[in-house]
Amino acid sequence: MRIFLTGGAGYIGSHTLLEVLSAAHEVCVYDDYSNSAPAALARVEQLTNRKFKTVTGDIRDQVSLATALTEFKPDVVVHFAGKKAVGESVEKPLMYYENNVSGTLSLLRAMEAAGCNRIVFSSSATVYGEPQYLPLDENHPLSATNPYGQTKLMVEHILRDWCTARDQASAVLLRYFNPVGAHDSGMIGEDPNDIPNNLMPFVSQVAVGRRETLQVFGSDYDTPDGTGVRDYIHVVDLAKAHAAAIVYAAAHKGCEAINVGTGQGSSVLDVVRAFEKASGRSIPYTMAPRRPGDVAALYAQPDKARTLLGWDAERDLADMCVSAWKWQSQNPDGYGD
Ligand code: NAD
Ligand code: UFG
């Protein structure tokens, strides 16, 4: 098939690109490199020994995007492009609504012009808001606690309405839990700008000596060790879920939301211990107050992905830490400048 990846140079996009090329699909990556580097694409080319098309552009640039889609004529679009930092979304909500919501509207218009009716969308477990029960299944009520979460919810609604209005349309909303880790080669991985917001990249930077101490946000939660519990999912498993979702979207019509998680919760201290084991380094940490907006525990009921996509997570927390460490230690400055 012909697969168009918006944001394909980013963390999850580059790992998915590798899986999609390995499955012998033809690919076009569309990215403005606002949060990524072309170096990631060069490394995927090296790893797969396959060529693919790239277009540099912003998804909000309707003309550029429509031209790219009309020329490439994709069977399925996988839509990663967007902003993802919760704190920044509170400070700059318009930037988030413009990139994530207007950007998606621009994409759907361009897809219609190019005659493409199938999309796989990067949604997030953030659409469940404060958990009312665990594990979170896809029928859990939806809500948003910040502008980033609002954009994911809005785009889910837009895609559902788009499918209702178009007989031939198919949308798969993949609700990611906490993606971490890197490709086994250590050649591609997560390369955050500035100070990482997320736990695993922060822990890796402490291990490699770029930062001194981890702050553990909250030690008095109602969890087994008092620290926050999340469902960490290996980015390679997540990439494989996209490959399965592409096949599903090509064979089905309508809109489906599907959790992508392991169903297993791990605490902050579980992650610290697993990373220490994987790296052979100690991770100094201090207990700090809770981070505003955080919940105690969040983990998925992953059965729907198994039933609809035939997909299951295969990698555990140790695999996630080993691969994250390989990437971090081989590339202490990420992709560099
Ligand atoms: P990322 O920032 O590494 O990748 C996003 C890519 O999109 C980057 O290459 C960036 O340059 C590009 N991009 C951003 N805005 C663009 C625009 N207007 N036009 C063209 N390209 C643009 O992020 P990621 O972690 O790979 O996340 C990918 C998607 O998954 C995002 O939509 C994110 O919200 C979603 N998601 C991520 C997580 C996570 O923890 N990483 C969790 C849930 C959902
Ligand atoms: N944490 C720390 N110290 C840090 C960073 C994080 O203790 O320096 C803790 C947090 O308090 C939380 C856990 O580690 O208990 C995980 O935090 P992350 O920031 O890594 O992940 P979140 O679960 O807060 O958020 C992630 C994505 C969001 C997405 C959400 C829902 O960043 O975009 O998962 O799946 F919406």
Side-chain angles (χ1 to χ4, degrees):
M1 282 190 279
R2 300 177 68 75
I3 313 298
F4 190 93
L5 305 181
T6 73
Y11 171 47
I12 301 166
S14 56
H15 287 82
T16 302
L17 170 64
L18 195 151
E19 286 302 324
V20 169
L21 290 169
S22 305
H25 298 300
E26 296 301 317
V27 181
C28 177
V29 171
Y30 187 95
D31 204 303
D32 66 357
Y33 305 112
S34 52
N35 197 36
S36 56
L41 299 180
R43 294 202 183 174
V44 173
E45 194 176 314
Q46 205 184 324
L47 282 166
T48 56
N49 201 21
R50 286 218 39 213
K51 297 269 180 218
F52 50 90
K53 197 173 168 182
T54 59
V55 177
T56 305
D58 189 316
I59 52 167
R60 293 166 297 172
D61 181 342
Q62 186 81 61
V63 175
S64 157
L65 186 59
T67 306
L69 277 162
T70 309
E71 280 177 11
F72 186 71
K73 298 188 181 57
D75 296 299
V76 182
V77 170
V78 187
H79 181 30
F80 299 102
K83 300 260 157 218
K84 62 168 182 176
V86 172
E88 186 184 50
S89 80
V90 176
E91 284 160 26
K92 299 177 183 168
L94 300 189
M95 184 168 100
Y96 274 70
Y97 289 113
E98 266 169 24
N99 260 283
N100 296 4
V101 182
S102 301
T104 303
L105 291 174
S106 158
L107 175 62
L108 290 173
R109 277 189 223 105
M111 284 172 62
E112 289 188 2
C116 179
N117 284 309
R118 303 182 188 110
I119 185 166
V120 176
F121 171 61
S122 297
S123 190
S124 165
T126 193
V127 298
Y128 295 122
E130 180 90 28
Q132 295 177 18
Y133 58 83
L134 290 169
L136 292 159
D137 59 38
E138 289 82 355
N139 296 322
H140 185 282
L142 303 180
S143 69
T145 51
N146 55 67
Y148 168 71
Q150 288 287 7
T151 68
K152 291 294 173 193
L153 258 186
M154 285 179 178
V155 171
E156 286 205 359
H157 289 309
I158 290 167
L159 291 175
R160 209 169 280 285
D161 291 345
W162 185 70
C163 283
T164 305
R166 293 172 74 84
D167 287 349
Q168 299 304 312
S170 171
V172 181
L173 319 175
L174 294 181
R175 293 179 180 156
Y176 313 160
F177 279 67
N178 288 56
V180 296
H183 187 254
D184 291 339
S185 64
M187 281 178 63
I188 55 171
E190 188 171 13
D191 183 18
N193 293 331
D194 307 325
I195 302 172
N197 294 310
N198 298 115
L199 179 64
M200 185 70 90
F202 200 102
V203 166
S204 333
Q205 293 193 3
V206 173
V208 84
R210 256 172 85 176
R211 311 209 175 266
E212 270 181 20
T213 313
L214 170 74
Q215 286 191 299
V216 176
F217 298 139
S219 50
D220 57 350
Y221 284 114
D222 184 15
T223 59
D225 65 16
T227 67
V229 166
R230 296 292 183 275
D231 186 340
Y232 296 95
I233 169 90
H234 197 301
V235 68
V236 172
D237 277 333
L238 179 56
K240 289 179 188 292
H242 286 81
I246 287 168
V247 172
Y248 182 88
H252 297 83
K253 296 180 179 58
C255 183
E256 288 289 353
I258 304 177
N259 285 341
V260 189
T262 64
Q264 299 291 318
S266 304
S267 73
V268 175
L269 295 182
D270 289 335
V271 171
V272 169
R273 279 190 290 267
F275 208 95
E276 287 186 327
K277 194 163 176 216
S279 63
R281 305 275 177 101
S282 83
I283 315 285
Y285 64 85
T286 55
M287 295 302 187
R290 293 181 180 192
R291 187 171 64 177
D294 272 359
V295 299
L298 206 70
Y299 48 92
Q301 159 57 264
D303 288 357
K304 190 173 176 186
R306 188 176 303 130
T307 310
L308 293 193
L309 306 182
W311 171 91
D312 239 327
E314 290 173 350
R315 291 158 172 82
D316 62 13
L317 185 61
D319 300 324
M320 300 176 209
C321 294
V322 166
S323 62
W325 175 241
K326 189 164 185 190
W327 155 253
Q328 183 70 67
S329 52
Q330 287 180 11
N331 307 271
D333 299 316
Y335 293 108
D337 296 331

